[in-house]
Amino acid sequence: MKSSVITFPGSNCDRDMDVALKKFGFKNKMVWHADAELPKSDLVVLPGGFSYGDYLRCGSMASKSKIMQSVINFANSGGMVMGICNGFQILVETGLVPGVLLRNKYLEFICKNVFVKINDKKNKFFKNVDNKVLKFHIAHNEGNYFCTNDQLKEIEDNNQIAINYCDENGKIEDEFNPNGSIKNIAGIFNKKKNVLGMMPHPERMIDTSLSGEDGSLFFKNLINNLK
Amino acid sequence: MKISVIITLKKDVLDPQGKVIHQTLDGMGFDNVNEVRQGKYFEIDTKETDNDKAKAKVEEMCKKLLANLVIENYKIIDPK
């Protein structure tokens, strides 16, 4: 399985993602944002970080960079695209997934482990993950998911919510919502579910000596689903 | 020609920064404030000399980059 990780000026989780993808069997290529062509890929990842210093709005500049037109075409033709953290912010700015990510409700940068409940498994990202709840890491200032009421209805009708913030038993309540996101949304799909944007970092959960292993579960499962 | 643009958050969108500014103003003794909403202001110096054409281009800029229309409104100020 071939993957590509796009590096934007200010990306800082691109190499972590490279390590994670390779660890679970992807042949990964790093792709510079100013390139026009995407290498042949089964998965394209927009990594976390602070592309363009978060100027104007997080992800807004990166969404207009040269490579993104190829990424958008790839996604629109059914290609698997995943945006993590700043990558999620870039995805919403391209319009590939609905909504926006606002400043965290309590104006704090949040850096901690959280639990997320998988809302939908009828997709290649989460199909066959046994766990209902995963422990991931979040680190962001703008992760407060927001969309219009019409968009929310559409997202819910199409089952586009991927994961919600919850407690370790999968209970989705206000008190487990770290950033003020509508309905505790931590990640969403596009309509066809070949594009996933999420704030948590699975690539930070792939090493027993450093963290948990729920990221390992996620990546192992992902590569199997793509085969 | 210089054209100015003001970007504001839409009414229903939570503005935590505006809220904190409001609270701080309140703490400073400005206690008659109802609400504070924070926005952005741009000055765009364009080579275009035709007023209407310049405004049309700036409007395109607003839609494509300067504003995110899910949460923001833009207002173009007429050059004088």
Side-chain angles (χ1 to χ4, degrees):
Chain A
M1 289 291 113
K2 288 179 182 153
S3 58
S4 297
V5 172
I6 316 289
T7 302
F8 300 94
S11 295
N12 65 6
C13 302
D14 46 337
R15 283 167 292 170
D16 294 32
M17 186 55 78
D18 180 57
V19 169
L21 291 166
K22 284 175 179 163
K23 183 171 181 179
F24 299 101
F26 283 95
K27 280 193 180 129
N28 187 53
K29 273 196 179 148
M30 305 302 282
V31 181
W32 184 235
H33 74 107
D35 292 352
E37 254 182 70
L38 205 56
K40 203 175 177 311
S41 313
D42 301 294
L43 172 73
V44 173
V45 183
L46 309 180
F50 302 85
S51 58
Y52 294 86
D54 282 348
Y55 291 175
L56 190 63
R57 292 178 309 276
C58 302
S60 63
M61 305 290 180
S63 73
K64 311 293 180 205
S65 63
K66 217 170 181 184
I67 193 71
M68 282 311 294
Q69 199 47 57
S70 301
V71 174
I72 291 166
N73 293 341
F74 177 76
N76 286 338
S77 63
M80 295 280 286
V81 176
M82 177 166 82
I84 305 297
C85 198
N86 188 227
F88 185 13
Q89 294 163 342
I90 296 168
L91 280 179
V92 298
E93 283 285 343
T94 62
L96 281 173
V97 293
V100 291
L101 292 146
L102 299 175
R103 190 89 187 261
N104 294 342
K105 192 175 174 186
Y106 301 108
L107 295 169
E108 298 166 312
F109 186 95
I110 306 166
C111 182
K112 65 174 186 181
N113 292 340
V114 292
F115 293 101
V116 291
K117 186 175 183 186
I118 303 170
N119 180 55
D120 183 89
K121 291 192 180 178
K122 287 180 192 149
N123 60 79
K124 283 186 178 168
F125 293 100
F126 293 104
K127 195 177 90 184
N128 299 328
V129 175
D130 287 335
N131 305 31
K132 275 189 185 146
V133 174
L134 295 170
K135 191 181 182 186
F136 279 166
H137 189 80
I138 54 168
H140 60 245
N141 201 36
E142 283 88 2
N144 180 354
Y145 184 79
F146 178 86
C147 60
T148 63
N149 286 336
D150 292 347
Q151 282 177 319
L152 184 64
K153 192 180 174 301
E154 209 181 318
I155 290 167
E156 287 185 318
D157 288 351
N158 296 323
N159 228 4
Q160 279 171 257
I161 299 174
I163 47 176
N164 303 82
Y165 299 108
C166 63
D167 73 350
E168 57 189 322
N169 300 312
K171 207 162 127 196
I172 301 168
E173 297 278 353
D174 248 2
E175 58 187 299
F176 311 119
N177 186 339
N179 53 24
S181 292
I182 288 183
K183 303 242 166 176
N184 286 33
I185 290 174
I188 61 166
F189 301 111
N190 66 340
K191 246 184 202 166
K192 288 183 182 165
K193 298 187 186 174
N194 59 310
V195 181
L196 166 67
M198 62 176 172
M199 290 316 292
H201 291 265
E203 78 278 13
R204 293 190 185 180
M205 287 290 181
I206 57 158
D207 191 322
T208 40
S209 57
L210 291 175
S211 62
E213 279 243 89
D214 285 4
S216 309
L217 277 177
F218 174 78
F219 284 107
K220 272 183 207 162
N221 183 66
L222 179 60
I223 192 163
N224 283 332
N225 288 343
L226 290 178
K227 274 175 189 164
Chain B
M1 177 188 313
K2 271 188 189 166
I3 295 190
S4 305
V5 177
I6 295 176
I7 311 258
T8 50
L9 276 178
K10 286 185 177 170
K11 226 174 71 196
D12 309 338
V13 179
L14 183 78
D15 178 12
Q17 295 178 89
K19 227 174 189 171
V20 169
I21 295 165
H22 181 190
Q23 284 165 5
T24 305
L25 286 172
D26 202 49
M28 290 165 74
F30 298 104
D31 51 10
N32 55 352
V33 177
N34 286 326
E35 196 189 17
V36 178
R37 306 281 286 171
Q38 187 179 315
K40 293 182 186 126
Y41 173 77
F42 299 86
E43 259 179 19
I44 299 168
D45 193 350
T46 161
K47 292 187 185 106
E48 183 59 65
T49 49
D50 182 285
N51 197 344
D52 289 346
K53 277 186 191 162
K55 268 179 76 177
K57 271 283 170 227
V58 169
E59 175 145 25
E60 203 183 332
M61 292 176 202
C62 288
K63 284 181 181 161
K64 287 188 174 167
L65 180 69
L66 300 182
N68 182 327
L69 300 180
V70 178
I71 48 166
E72 293 169 326
N73 292 320
Y74 62 87
K75 193 175 165 193
I76 299 167
I77 315 279
D78 250 324
K80 275 177 193 151

